[in-house]
C-alpha cells in the first residue's frame, strides 16, 4: 500500500515537472530579496506555477537594482538574456531601442491594458507605441515611517516640516534613541536626498532640475538649501549606517532602536512581513515638507525576445497575470505599493495604501506627481550615476559645502549629457 502511495506521489511529481517543462519556463531577473519583497515576488511565482508554467528565479540583491542591472547587461551582451527583467522608467526605452525587447501588444489587447492603465503608465511601458513591459505597481517614494512608541518615550512630536523634524530629532537623541534609521550606501543617500530636494524645490522646480536637467535650477538657491538640510540630517543618523541596507534600517524602526526612516513604501512590506499594523505599531506620513506631492516609482517587468515557443507562451502568461485584480491585490499588499490599476477597490488594503492611492489620484490632477529620479524613473543611467556620485560624496564628507555641491551637481549632470 505504502509503495503504491509512494509511486503515485512520484508519478504526480514527475508529471507536474514535465508538464511545467512542456508548458515553458520564464526566467525572471529581479532584486526583490528583502523579507517583504520576497513575499511579494513569491505571489507572482505561485500564480504562474498554478497555471502550470515553470519559474526560474534570477535574484540579484541590492536596493535600487544597480547590481541586478550590471548582471543583466552581461547576460544580454552574451546573447542569453532572461525572459523577463525588472527594468524601470526611461531604461525601458533604452533596452527597446537596442532591439532586445519583445512586442506585447497581442497580450495587451487581449487583456485590455489600454482600458486598465492610466495614460502616463501606458507611455512608460511602450516603445514607439508598442507595449514592451508590464507594470506591477505604484510605489510612493516620499514617505516618512515612524515608530510612535519611541516618540512617546522621547516626548517628541511627529514632524511635518524640517524644522519640526530637527526639533523632534533633538529630543529623540536626548532620550537615547536614533532619530533617523539610514541605509548608508549611494542609492540610500540618493533616495533620502530626493525627499529633501522635493520639499525645497516643489514639483515644478523638481521637474525642471531632474527631468529637464535645467542648469539654473540644478545650482540655484533652492538646491543649495536642499543640500544644507541634507547635511544637517547627517547629524541625526547613527555612525553604523555606512554599508547598511534599507531593510535593516526599517527593522531599526520596527524594533524601536530608531524613531523614523525616510524611504519608499517598499519599507511597508517589511512592517507587514513583521506583522505590524499601521496606526497601531507604526505611522506613515509624507516626508517632511512634501504633503500633497507624490514621487512616483513603478516596478515593471520588461520582456526579452525569446526563441522557444513554449517559453514565449509562458512569458505571455506572466505578462497577462500581472494586471489581473487578484495579483494586483495580493502582490501589492505584500510589497507595500498600490495597484497600478486605479479601477480596483482599495477596501482590503491598509490605511497607508489607501492614503497612497488618494495622494496618487490627487497629485495626478494637481500636477504634483513627479517621477522619482532616485528610483530610475526620470533619467538615463548615465545622468543618475552622476547625480548619485555628487549626492553621496557630499553626504559623507563632513567638510562639504552646499553651494559647491549644487554647482558640482549642475556640472556633473551636464557632463553626463555630452
Ligand atoms: C524598487 C522596489 C524595491 C526597492 C528596494 C526600488 O527601486 O522599485 O521594488 O523594493 O528598490 O529594493
Amino acid at each position: 500500500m505504502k509503495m503504491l502511495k509512494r509511486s503515485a506521489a512520484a508519478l504526480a511529481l514527475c508529471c507536474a515537472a514535465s508538464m511545467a517543462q512542456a508548458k515553458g519556463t520564464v526566467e525572471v531577473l529581479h532584486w526583490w530579496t528583502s523579507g517583504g519583497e520576497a513575499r511579494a515576488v513569491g505571489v507572482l511565482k505561485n500564480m504562474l506555477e498554478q497555471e502550470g508554467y515553470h519559474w526560474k528565479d534570477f535574484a540579484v540583491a541590492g536596493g535600487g537594482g544597480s547590481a541586478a542591472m550590471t548582471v543583466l547587461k552581461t547576460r544580454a551582451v552574451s546573447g542569453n538574456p532572461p525572459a523577463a527583467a525588472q527594468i524601470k522608467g526611461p531604461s525601458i526605452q533604452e533596452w527597446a531601442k537596442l532591439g532586445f525587447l519583445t512586442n506585447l501588444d497581442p497580450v495587451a489587447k487581449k487583456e485590455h491594458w489600454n482600458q486598465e492603465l492610466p495614460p502616463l503608465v501606458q507611455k512608460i511601458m511602450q516603445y514607439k507605441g508598442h507595449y514592451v513591459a508590464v507594470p506591477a505597481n505604484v510605489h510612493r517614494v516620499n514617505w516618512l515611517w515612524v515608530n510612535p512608541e519611541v516618540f512617546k518615550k522621547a516626548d517628541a512630536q511627529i514632524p511635518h516640516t524640517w524644522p519640526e523634524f530637527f526639533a523632534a530629532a533633538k529630543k529623540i537623541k536626548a532620550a537615547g534613541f536614533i532619530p533617523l534609521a539610514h541605509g548608508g550606501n549611494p542609492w540610500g543617500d540618493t533616495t533620502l536626498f530626493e525627499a529633501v530636494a522635493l520639499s525645497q524645490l516643489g514639483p515644478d522646480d523638481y521637474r525642471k532640475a531632474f527631468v529637464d536637467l535645467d542648469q539654473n535650477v540644478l545650482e540655484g538657491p533652492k538646491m543649495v538649501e536642499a543640500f544644507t538640510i541634507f547635511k544637517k540630517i547627517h547629524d541625526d543618523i547613527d555612525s553604523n549606517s555606512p554599508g547598511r541596507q534599507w531593510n535593516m534600517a526599517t527593522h531599526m524602526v520596527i524594533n524601536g532602536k530608531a524613531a523614523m526612516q525616510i524611504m519608499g513604501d517598499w519599507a511597508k512590506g517589511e512592517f507587514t512581513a513583521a506583522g505590524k499594523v499601521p496606526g497601531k505599531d507604526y505611522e506613515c506620513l509624507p516626508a517632511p515638507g512634501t504633503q500633497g506631492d507624490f514621487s512616483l516609482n513603478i516596478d515593471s517587468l520588461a520582456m526579452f525576445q525569446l526563441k522557444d515557443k513554449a517559453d514565449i507562451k509562458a512569458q505571455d502568461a506572466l505578462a497577462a497575470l500581472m494586471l489581473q485584480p487578484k495579483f494586483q491585490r495580493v502582490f501589492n499588499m505584500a510589497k507595500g505599493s498600490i495597484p497600478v490599476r486605479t479601477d480596483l477597490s482599495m477596501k482590503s488594503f491598509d490605511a497607508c495604501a489607501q492614503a497612497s492611492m488618494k495622494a496618487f489620484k490627487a497629485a495626478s490632477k494637481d500636477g504634483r506627481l513627479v517621477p522619482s529620479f532616485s528610483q530610475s524613473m526620470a533619467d538615463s543611467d548615465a545622468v543618475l550615476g552622476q547625480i548619485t556620485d555628487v549626492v553621496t560624496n557630499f553626504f559623507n564628507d563632513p567638510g562639504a559645502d552646499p553651494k559647491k555641491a549644487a554647482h558640482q551637481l549642475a556640472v556633473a549632470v551636464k557632463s553626463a549629457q555630452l
Side-chain angles (χ1 to χ4, degrees):
M1 189 60 191
K2 233 183 194 168
M3 281 280 286
L4 209 67
K5 260 194 189 158
R6 256 200 216 144
S7 50
L11 198 72
L13 255 181
C14 105
C15 297
S18 67
M19 192 176 126
Q21 291 307 333
K23 280 195 85 174
T25 297
V26 211
E27 186 178 19
V28 185
L29 171 81
H30 61 89
W31 61 90
W32 289 327
T33 54
S34 77
E37 291 173 335
R39 282 179 76 220
V41 78
V43 172
L44 185 57
K45 175 177 186 262
N46 290 344
M47 285 180 74
L48 185 81
E49 285 179 345
Q50 267 164 25
E51 292 184 24
Y53 298 101
H54 185 61
W55 170 283
K56 193 169 168 203
D57 204 50
F58 184 7
V60 182
S66 63
M69 287 304 102
T70 308
V71 178
L72 177 62
K73 280 175 197 156
T74 315
R75 281 279 303 267
V77 167
S78 65
N80 179 30
Q86 190 182 352
I87 299 177
K88 300 192 306 188
S91 291
I92 296 174
Q93 311 296 314
E94 290 174 17
W95 281 97
K97 204 168 161 191
L98 290 171
F100 281 108
L101 303 185
T102 197
N103 184 332
L104 294 172
D105 284 350
V107 188
K109 199 163 172 227
K110 201 162 151 232
E111 298 290 323
H112 314 292
W113 290 1
N114 279 351
Q115 285 76 51
E116 291 165 359
L117 293 175
L120 167 88
V121 181
Q122 290 179 29
K123 219 176 127 204
I124 301 171
M125 301 302 138
Q126 293 175 352
Y127 176 67
K128 294 196 169 160
H130 302 290
Y131 281 99
V132 291
V134 50
N137 59 3
V138 167
H139 270 303
R140 187 185 196 185
V141 183
N142 56 314
W143 279 115
L144 175 72
W145 305 95
V146 164
N147 182 324
E149 200 53 38
V150 176
F151 271 82
K152 222 169 154 192
K153 285 184 188 154
D155 189 27
Q157 298 295 316
I158 294 174
H160 300 91
T161 63
W162 288 112
E164 286 175 12
F165 174 93
F166 292 118
K170 204 171 165 195
K171 286 191 159 185
I172 292 162
K173 233 190 282 179
F177 299 97
I178 298 164
L180 190 70
H182 182 62
N185 51 58
W187 172 81
D189 296 344
T190 309
T191 303
L192 177 59
F193 180 70
E194 173 177 300
V196 182
L198 181 57
S199 74
Q200 296 312 295
L201 295 165
D204 290 341
D205 276 351
Y206 173 101
R207 251 180 244 117
K208 277 189 200 149
F210 297 109
V211 181
D212 306 339
L213 308 178
D214 179 321
Q215 288 285 304
N216 292 333
V217 183
L218 280 166
E219 62 179 327
K222 290 181 184 170
M223 195 67 81
V224 177
E225 190 51 28
F227 275 110
T228 307
I229 293 173
F230 190 44
K231 190 178 174 70
K232 207 160 172 242
I233 296 174
H234 198 276
D235 295 339
D236 295 322
I237 65 173
D238 66 311
S239 57
N240 288 330
S241 59
R244 182 187 289 140
Q245 283 297 322
W246 66 271
N247 52 320
M248 293 299 135
T250 311
H251 281 274
M252 292 165 64
V253 181
I254 293 176
N255 63 31
K257 269 204 177 115
M260 302 175 270
Q261 183 184 20
I262 290 175
M263 183 48 65
D265 43 21
W266 44 91
K268 201 188 73 190
E270 301 307 296
F271 284 99
T272 308
K276 303 294 177 191
V277 178
K280 181 172 155 261
D281 306 308
Y282 70 99
E283 301 287 346
C284 56
L285 56 158
T290 67
Q291 288 76 11
D293 302 334
F294 196 109
S295 173
L296 174 71
N297 176 30
I298 298 177
D299 284 315
S300 44
L301 292 182
M303 301 293 178
F304 282 76
Q305 285 171 16
L306 303 175
K307 289 198 185 80
D308 186 278
K309 278 203 180 119
D311 290 349
I312 294 173
K313 275 205 167 150
Q315 186 185 47
D316 284 351
L318 179 72
L321 85 78
M322 284 174 64
L323 286 183
Q324 283 164 15
K326 184 175 172 208
F327 170 78
Q328 284 288 314
R329 188 163 39 82
V330 186
F331 175 86
N332 285 307
M333 280 172 143
K335 189 72 176 63
S337 39
I338 55 172
V340 65
R341 288 177 56 171
T342 45
D343 60 336
L344 301 179
S345 163
M346 291 297 290
K347 258 199 200 140
S348 47
F349 282 83
D350 65 30
C352 298
Q354 288 175 1
S356 185
M357 183 58 97
K358 215 169 146 201
F360 177 63
K361 288 185 176 168
S364 314
K365 274 201 199 123
D366 304 347
R368 300 183 76 167
L369 184 70
V370 297
S372 164
F373 70 84
S374 66
Q375 306 310 310
S376 311
M377 293 297 295
D379 306 297
S380 67
D381 282 354
V383 169
L384 177 57
Q386 291 293 340
I387 296 174
T388 303
D389 282 352
V390 173
V391 165
T392 198
N393 288 340
F394 173 82
F395 197 56
N396 293 294
D397 173 3
D401 174 55
K403 205 160 176 221
K404 270 193 197 144
H407 179 66
Q408 278 166 356
L409 184 68
V411 173
V413 164
K414 200 175 197 173
S415 77
Q417 295 169 274
L418 293 178

